[in-house]
Amino acid sequence: MKNSEDEQKEEFLREFGDDYGYKSAPKNIDQLRATEFKRLAGVVYLDHAGATLYSEAQLESVFKDLNSNLYANPHSQSSCSLNTSDRVGEARTQVLDYFNASSREYSVIFTSGATAALKLVGESFPWSSQSCFMYSMENHNSVLGIREYALNQGAAALAVDVEETADYRNSRGTNSAIRLFRHHELRRSERGLSKEDPTGNVYNLFAFPSECNFSGTRFNLDLVKLIKEDSHNALEGSTYSRGCWMVLIDAAKGGATEPPDLSKHKADFVVISFYKIFGYPTGLGALIVRNETAKLLKKTYFSGGTVAASVADSDFVKRRAGVEEIFEDGTISYLSIASILHGFRILNTLTMSAISRHTTSLATFVRKTLSAMKHENGTHVCTLYGANSSKVLFEGMGPIVSFNLRRPDGSWFGYREVEKLASLAGIQLRTGCFCNPGACAKYLGLSHSDLLSNFEAGHVCWDDHDVLCGKPTGAVRASFGYMSTFEDASNFVNFIKASFVSLPSRTPGVNTLRGTTISPAIEGIGRANPRLKSISIYPIKSCLGFSVSSWPLATTGLLHDREWLLRSTSGEILTQKKVPDMCHITTLIDLDLGILFVESPRCKEKLQIKLKSDFPVGKDEVNIHPQRYEVEVYHDEIDSWFSDAVGRPCTLLRCSGQQGYACSNRNRISRLCRDLETKMNFVNEAQFLLVSEESVNDLNARLRSNVQHHFDGELIQVSTSRFRPNLVVCGGEAYAEDGWRSLRIGKTEFISLGGCNRCQMINLSLQGGKVQRSNEPLATLAEYRRTKGKITFGILLRHDDSTGKHSDAWLHVGEEIRASLA
């Protein structure tokens, strides 16, 4: 009897069987994955728009080539240098062949990447005060950066939307059916602007991607001819329609599966990145430039390899004549350039036509499946971006699926929640705006005021603020490469369905299993209250702490808790997520001696830091969003000890004061801010973290029942210390703490701030002296402890010091806990 996965694949093959799988190639897709991508076992890799993957055969060919041939600096005249020049020449020819470009018309300039190629165009383009840099809204930041060169030279910058004319059905051709809707013109300076017609040539530049890396829409490449030959109609008589228009195509993404045909679409510039095409090498790109256009570029800097002759003590330099020789500064990355021949060889065996059809079939299947998903109440789960684009303006969709997900009530699932759960499921994808702010704003419907409000609320690229003011700030992107399989696509859509679709038996994103909440203590009821089982202090953020039977409170929480941290020389705050070996550093404070003791297996001697007299050589400030701290800096001997302990240069900082800076959030979006009403040391969210022993026991029971899903198939059991709590309680019911509004431990009052949002740090464990990573316990917690984008375990507390007695307060193990319910 067939299972649902087999039936799903059969249905897929009935629709896409002619396009999927490379039937005419030496290896079909299943053989390719089994032999060339064994490292993908157990992983669903869906970030090919960010970087595709190299094959084993490709690297074997590269290493065999490098081990068999002697390559030398091509600026020499030795035989091995001439051999290198020949290989570089072969690589240039292969690049031109890939884009169907003639060497009589185009040249290939190798750069350190697509970004460097774009920078080269910006800094050498013949800008003038009458020039215009025009670009489609759907452009990568690296393209937008060209406008800095244009604006600094007095030129205008202009973003446009590519749109259909109102009467496109009656148009004589594609060109006449397209118009450019202009956004607000940008100018940095009016200096030198002429109100009269220019006396010399005016050169303008239009840039657009062959494929939008946000939505996957493929632009109609007839735009090249339209801009170069009919800019007057496209711009509806704008003053910028005059002069000579040049066109730049960003093919960094689109070139991987459908490279522009330059014999048909004669762009002036095309930028590419090789690791996006076949994974290896990184740090290498190219600018393909028309030879006639290259003559107009203005190169200022000269270097080794770009000059025919120069005089050291005279203002004389004679540049070389060749396009590549003029623009490739210094010694090119000739070993990497030789390596790309082996990448192209792999693609040529499959053919680009087959790769395009294969990857498009997978993306189309995912789009259709996601668009059909509905919650039990009939509302659609998924909002897709770019899927309904005009056929006049765009040439279909590339192998990108960009979307956001909604709950049954219409609210949005945050993209970071999707990414976190996907990672736990072994699915690698990308979220955010993908460095494409124009497309992001366009597809998400974000106005200028929305973007500025989000920034003022603290949102920046790569942070966790995925939904603000009821709108997503980015999207989820799944992208396919030539080695992607149906199983990758199927596992992905099944993950979406299992994790985010509301069915009659469950509601996604809501705690489905929670223990009974305990009742508040009532006189005459015999039921015992929970008690405080342990107290732990973590003096240095992300290092091991120590347990005590009693400990004093301070205005910041437990005395000396998270009072120190380690900072790298680049200013990065070090944590176990980034430096797992920090879990080897043990700490202990002796209050009677007034000493912090620190030990590390990497250091022979135990470090002793006096709490009062070992004070620093100076003061500094450190920002841990959204707080600014005044800190004290220690002398070199202490910093050297910690640098040895973590295996990288770092400094020890001690918190000496906290400054309120809080959210510059005018709308008071509380979810962005941690507890800012009380003083805290270097904690993430609140003064205290409390965990229940019964809740940990319940989690371990679930881990045992799901053992077949665990890392390496091994049973994983966790202790309370895995969650780095300050306070562990026992004697109540599992998850009773979720319902506490406030509590009293002994005579000390606390206020609950809600559940603690857990991250992948709890998946790190120290076993046999080595740090181990797995998907647990976070994966199991995600099954039943997920609410509104957060996976919670334990609760955050604030010391209620309204009585002003915090200086006298101590906590003692064994004290009774009396809770009030929310």
Side-chain angles (χ1 to χ4, degrees):
M1 184 175 181
K2 296 179 180 178
N3 59 39
S4 58
E5 291 183 3
D6 292 336
E7 293 174 347
Q8 189 182 43
K9 186 167 186 178
E10 285 183 2
E11 183 178 351
F12 168 82
L13 291 175
R14 280 194 295 271
E15 183 173 0
F16 300 105
D18 292 339
D19 297 325
Y20 175 79
Y22 312 119
K23 296 179 177 61
S24 300
K27 293 181 180 179
N28 64 32
I29 183 60
D30 294 329
Q31 294 168 331
L32 192 69
R33 277 291 289 265
T35 59
E36 304 297 338
F37 297 93
K38 294 188 287 291
R39 64 190 185 279
L40 281 176
V43 177
V44 176
Y45 184 81
L46 298 178
D47 190 23
H48 295 274
T52 200
L53 305 174
Y54 53 81
S55 73
E56 293 179 20
Q58 178 186 345
L59 285 195
E60 288 172 0
S61 296
V62 170
F63 296 148
K64 182 178 180 180
D65 183 359
L66 298 183
N67 286 330
S68 303
N69 294 289
L70 183 60
Y71 294 117
N73 191 320
H75 291 169
S76 301
Q77 293 299 310
S78 64
S79 59
C80 55
S81 297
L82 294 175
N83 182 41
T84 303
S85 297
D86 290 341
R87 292 291 280 173
V88 172
E90 290 177 39
R92 294 192 205 276
T93 299
Q94 177 63 79
V95 172
L96 291 176
D97 289 345
Y98 188 72
F99 290 91
N100 200 17
S102 166
S103 58
R104 294 188 300 274
E105 193 171 7
Y106 286 94
S107 294
V108 176
I109 301 169
F110 287 113
T111 63
S112 63
T115 297
L118 291 163
K119 183 173 181 287
L120 188 156
V121 173
E123 66 189 6
S124 59
F125 193 83
W127 304 110
S128 71
S129 58
Q130 285 82 31
S131 296
C132 178
F133 173 49
M134 185 169 67
Y135 49 91
S136 65
M137 282 291 287
E138 299 93 333
N139 262 305
H140 195 278
N141 267 326
S142 297
V143 176
L144 300 186
I146 292 177
R147 75 183 184 200
E148 293 299 299
Y149 291 104
L151 293 173
N152 283 340
Q153 293 296 320
L158 189 63
V160 297
D161 283 309
V162 183
E163 298 182 344
E164 292 175 342
T165 57
D167 59 344
Y168 73 90
R169 290 183 179 85
N170 299 321
S171 301
R172 295 181 180 178
T174 302
N175 285 359
S176 58
I178 298 175
R179 65 182 290 269
L180 304 178
F181 176 80
R182 301 188 296 276
H183 289 250
H184 179 69
E185 176 188 310
L186 304 177
R187 276 197 186 274
R188 187 153 292 165
S189 172
E190 298 294 327
R191 183 180 67 247
L193 294 183
S194 172
K195 301 300 181 181
E196 302 177 356
D197 289 339
T199 56
N201 289 329
V202 173
Y203 297 103
N204 308 300
L205 179 64
F206 175 61
F208 72 99
S210 62
E211 180 183 320
C212 174
N213 77 313
F214 183 96
S215 66
T217 52
R218 286 173 171 155
F219 277 73
N220 188 332
L221 297 183
D222 287 341
L223 275 171
V224 176
K225 184 176 181 181
L226 172 66
I227 295 299
K228 293 179 71 67
E229 299 180 7
D230 199 15
S231 60
H232 180 81
N233 287 330
L235 291 167
E236 295 185 340
S238 165
T239 56
Y240 297 119
S241 63
R242 65 190 178 187
C244 175
W245 275 95
M246 302 179 189
V247 177
L248 181 153
I249 298 178
D250 175 11
K253 169 58 190 78
T257 53
E258 192 160 309
D261 185 340
L262 295 184
S263 69
K264 297 178 180 178
H265 308 288
K266 298 184 181 298
D268 296 277
F269 307 99
V270 177
V271 298
I272 58 175
S273 181
F274 293 106
Y275 76 91
K276 290 182 182 289
I277 299 176
F278 35 66
Y280 178 88
T282 58
L284 183 68
L287 172 66
I288 304 172
V289 59
R290 289 189 73 180
N291 295 328
E292 290 301 312
T293 303
K295 296 175 183 178
L296 301 173
L297 300 181
K298 299 178 179 180
K299 181 81 183 306
T300 301
Y301 178 77
F302 70 85
S303 65
T306 65
V307 294
S310 65
V311 178
D313 58 351
S314 176
D315 185 11
F316 172 81
V317 60
K318 179 64 176 177
R319 300 176 188 272
R320 292 185 178 273
V323 174
E324 302 95 338
E325 295 173 320
I326 294 174
F327 291 99
E328 290 176 347
D329 290 319
T331 302
I332 57 177
S333 183
Y334 55 88
L335 294 181
S336 293
I337 293 170
S339 298
I340 69 174
L341 289 166
H342 304 285
F344 281 120
R345 191 171 295 123
I346 296 293
L347 300 188
N348 291 337
T349 62
L350 301 174
T351 75
M352 291 311 300
S353 174
I355 289 173
S356 180
R357 297 195 309 272
H358 173 81
T359 54
T360 298
S361 71
L362 294 172
T364 302
F365 163 73
V366 170
R367 286 191 204 97
K368 291 179 65 174
T369 307
L370 292 182
S371 63
M373 284 185 182
K374 292 184 179 181
H375 293 294
E376 61 171 326
N377 64 1
T379 60
H380 283 279
V381 175
C382 185
T383 297
L384 292 163
Y385 301 117
N388 298 317
S389 299
S390 162
K391 293 182 179 179
V392 174
L393 305 178
F394 305 104
E395 296 182 338
M397 300 292 295
I400 283 177
V401 184
S402 179
F403 62 95
N404 272 309
L405 301 172
R406 288 185 182 269
R407 297 184 177 87
D409 62 4
S411 62
W412 297 98
F413 286 104
Y415 57 76
R416 284 290 290 121
E417 177 180 1
V418 181
E419 184 177 28
K420 180 189 289 187
L421 294 176
S423 180
L424 293 173
I427 299 172
Q428 309 300 312
L429 42 73
R430 187 169 173 185
T431 64
C433 273
F434 325 123
C435 298
N436 195 326
C440 188
K442 178 177 179 177
Y443 287 109
L444 301 181
L446 299 175
S447 65
H448 282 182
S449 60
D450 290 331
L451 297 173
L452 292 175
S453 176
N454 290 348
F455 178 75
E456 290 179 354
H459 173 52
V460 295
C461 295
W462 305 340
D463 67 14
D464 290 340
H465 303 329
D466 48 18
V467 179
L468 291 177
C469 300
K471 291 183 178 181
T473 61
V476 181
R477 185 182 74 185
S479 53
F480 296 91
Y482 76 83
M483 73 297 297
S484 297
T485 64
F486 168 78
E487 286 70 25
D488 292 332
S490 177
N491 286 336
F492 175 64
V493 296
N494 290 339
F495 155 74
I496 295 294
K497 182 177 181 180
S499 302
F500 299 99
V501 180
S502 173
L503 300 175
S505 60
R506 64 180 176 84
T507 301
V510 176
N511 289 358
T512 56
L513 296 172
R514 177 179 289 181
T516 305
T517 303
I518 67 168
S519 301
I522 302 176
E523 293 295 332
I525 301 295
R527 182 174 172 179
N529 285 312
R531 294 185 176 274
L532 183 61
K533 182 175 183 179
S534 68
I535 303 169
S536 297
I537 298 91
Y538 307 87
I540 304 175
K541 184 178 179 68
S542 256
C543 295
L544 290 179
F546 61 97
S547 297
V548 293
S549 58
S550 60
W551 199 258
L553 297 179
T555 57
T556 55
L558 290 169
L559 182 63
H560 301 309
D561 186 53
R562 274 89 168 190
E563 195 166 310
W564 291 264
L565 61 73
L566 297 176
R567 182 175 65 179
S568 71
T569 53
S570 64
E572 180 184 31
I573 305 304
L574 301 186
T575 66
Q576 278 191 35
K577 282 188 287 187
K578 301 169 184 175
V579 188
D581 284 346
M582 290 179 71
C583 70
H584 292 295
I585 300 176
T586 61
T587 60
L588 176 67
I589 290 178
D590 189 315
L591 292 178
D592 293 331
L593 295 176
I595 294 177
L596 166 63
F597 296 96
V598 192
E599 292 186 87
S600 167
R602 291 185 173 181
C603 301
K604 294 181 179 180
E605 296 184 359
K606 179 188 296 187
L607 182 65
Q608 299 184 26
I609 300 176
K610 295 181 179 178
L611 301 180
K612 292 185 177 180
S613 59
D614 254 356
F615 263 23
V617 293
K619 291 184 176 291
D620 198 354
E621 286 190 350
V622 61
N623 292 334
I624 305 179
H625 186 76
Q627 285 300 133
R628 181 173 66 248
Y629 293 88
E630 291 181 351
V631 296
E632 293 163 336
V633 182
Y634 285 87
H635 48 78
D636 291 343
E637 288 79 3
I638 289 180
D639 290 343
S640 178
W641 190 95
F642 280 102
S643 297
D644 292 338
V646 299
R648 65 180 68 188
C650 65
T651 58
L652 179 70
L653 305 178
R654 183 178 186 179
C655 181
S656 61
Q658 176 194 36
Q659 299 180 7
Y661 173 82
C663 301
S664 55
N665 172 13
R666 297 177 181 175
N667 298 320
R668 305 295 295 170
I669 304 172
S670 60
R671 74 178 292 272
L672 291 182
C673 307
R674 63 179 196 162
D675 178 18
L676 297 173
E677 298 180 18
T678 52
K679 293 182 178 180
M680 294 186 291
N681 288 329
F682 300 125
V683 293
N684 290 338
E685 296 180 282
Q687 291 179 332
F688 303 87
L689 170 61
L690 179 147
V691 166
S692 157
E693 186 176 61
E694 284 72 25
S695 299
V696 174
N697 291 339
D698 178 80
L699 170 60
N700 280 322
R702 296 172 190 273
L703 289 169
R704 286 192 295 272
S705 68
N706 293 335
V707 65
Q708 68 272 18
H709 301 301
H710 291 315
F711 182 73
D712 285 342
E714 297 179 0
L715 174 63
I716 295 177
Q717 297 286 272
V718 298
S719 64
T720 55
S721 62
R722 179 76 72 94
F723 302 95
R724 297 177 63 82
N726 297 113
L727 310 174
V728 177
V729 300
C730 65
E733 296 186 13
Y735 311 110
E737 64 275 11
D738 292 345
W740 295 350
R741 182 186 67 217
S742 61
L743 61 149
R744 179 190 298 172
I745 303 178
K747 297 181 179 180
T748 307
E749 301 286 344
F750 297 87
I751 297 172
S752 173
L753 303 176
C756 178
N757 188 23
R758 310 311 312 211
C759 66
Q760 292 191 357
M761 185 168 169
I762 64 173
N763 289 341
L764 300 177
S765 63
L766 188 61
Q767 298 178 15
K770 295 183 178 181
V771 178
Q772 303 290 332
R773 293 179 182 268
S774 76
N775 286 338
E776 296 293 0
L778 197 58
T780 294
L781 286 173
E783 296 174 1
Y784 74 107
R785 298 287 301 174
R786 180 162 60 98
T787 305
K788 294 290 185 181
K790 296 182 178 181
I791 302 172
T792 61
F793 193 81
I795 60 172
L796 302 169
L797 301 177
R798 179 177 72 221
H799 180 206
D800 184 4
D801 59 353
S802 56
T803 60
K805 296 181 180 179
H806 58 264
S807 59
D808 302 325
W810 282 65
L811 291 180
H812 304 273
V813 169
E815 287 183 315
E816 188 176 64
I817 296 172
R818 292 177 173 265
S820 298
L821 299 184

